[in-house]
Amino acid sequence: MNAMTADNLRSAYGGESQAHMRYRIWGDKAKKDGYPTVARLFMATSDAEEVHATLHFKALKDEKGDFSVTSGAGFGLGTTSENLQGAINGELFEVEQMYPAYIAVAEMQNEKAAISAMRYAIEAEKVHAELFTKAKESVDQEKDLEAKTVLLCPVCGFISLTGEEDNCPLCNAKKELFKEY
């Protein structure tokens, strides 16, 4: 694998891994603050970030050894509204800046596994940003997020609040594979 694509994948892996843990912490805070559906959304998104980290790790399967990894990560434990804004900011950074640049490099270097992993991630992150925005709007009105269910596609990290999909709209995985929160 080309060095630049490998560096980008390691950075994305680090960022996704940190988001996985950050969303767990923020989900616990949402639950304590009386927002159980927001908490479930944070937990589902935490697991989605783990899916993305795993895809990146597998794309790096031939890259062995120890590496210093630089990745962006939000820190701080605020109110549920503040934590949701932090999540929105992180997701939008990935959608608008990080993944477009990383995908462009991977395409230039013809790194098919990296392109596939990052395309799943960017499309799922768009959905995550929308769902966190919807959740923040509810919390800012001192209401929990209204959702029939919270479902995660374990293949690509897509999240549904309706369960109306027969297949994942991003990767076409069967709905039966989805994990419910």
Side-chain angles (χ1 to χ4, degrees):
M1 175 173 290
N2 285 285
M4 187 178 251
T5 294
D7 283 344
N8 289 345
L9 271 175
R10 283 190 288 271
S11 177
Y13 171 82
E16 300 289 1
S17 298
Q18 291 175 77
H20 165 66
M21 290 308 302
R22 183 173 49 256
Y23 291 165
R24 287 234 174 284
I25 294 165
W26 288 349
D28 288 342
K29 173 73 168 137
K31 187 174 182 179
K32 288 176 187 165
D33 286 352
Y35 300 108
T37 305
V38 173
R40 291 184 347 202
L41 175 61
F42 268 125
M43 293 305 173
T45 312
S46 170
D47 288 349
E49 306 304 358
E50 182 180 11
V51 168
H52 299 156
T54 300
L55 290 171
H56 299 337
F57 192 87
K58 288 180 177 178
L60 286 162
K61 69 182 185 321
D62 294 328
E63 299 292 313
K64 296 179 176 50
D66 296 326
F67 300 90
S68 291
V69 176
T70 302
S71 59
F75 285 87
L77 182 59
T79 65
T80 296
S81 179
E82 291 168 335
N83 296 339
L84 284 163
Q85 187 61 57
I88 293 164
N89 294 347
E91 300 295 324
L92 290 177
F93 169 76
E94 291 176 339
V95 168
E96 295 170 356
Q97 296 182 47
M98 186 185 88
Y99 280 122
Y102 288 1
I103 290 168
V105 170
E107 287 175 341
M108 181 184 69
Q109 296 181 336
N110 199 29
E111 296 288 0
K112 291 178 177 30
I115 295 165
S116 176
M118 292 188 282
R119 282 192 180 149
Y120 277 148
I122 194 173
E123 294 306 317
E125 305 300 11
K126 291 175 186 176
V127 175
H128 301 170
E130 291 173 16
L131 297 178
F132 282 139
T133 299
K134 186 175 179 182
K136 185 176 183 331
E137 289 168 358
S138 294
V139 168
D140 287 348
Q141 295 176 15
E142 299 182 3
K143 298 177 186 173
D144 196 13
L145 177 65
E146 290 187 29
K148 294 178 186 178
T149 187
V150 179
L151 296 170
L152 167 68
C153 174
V155 176
C156 71
F158 170 79
I159 295 174
S160 172
L161 297 184
T162 65
E164 295 172 349
E165 305 84 3
D166 289 327
N167 295 319
C168 176
L170 302 184
C171 72
N172 207 34
K174 299 254 183 249
K175 181 179 173 180
E176 294 80 38
L177 296 176
F178 285 22
K179 180 179 176 184
E180 186 169 1
Y181 294 79

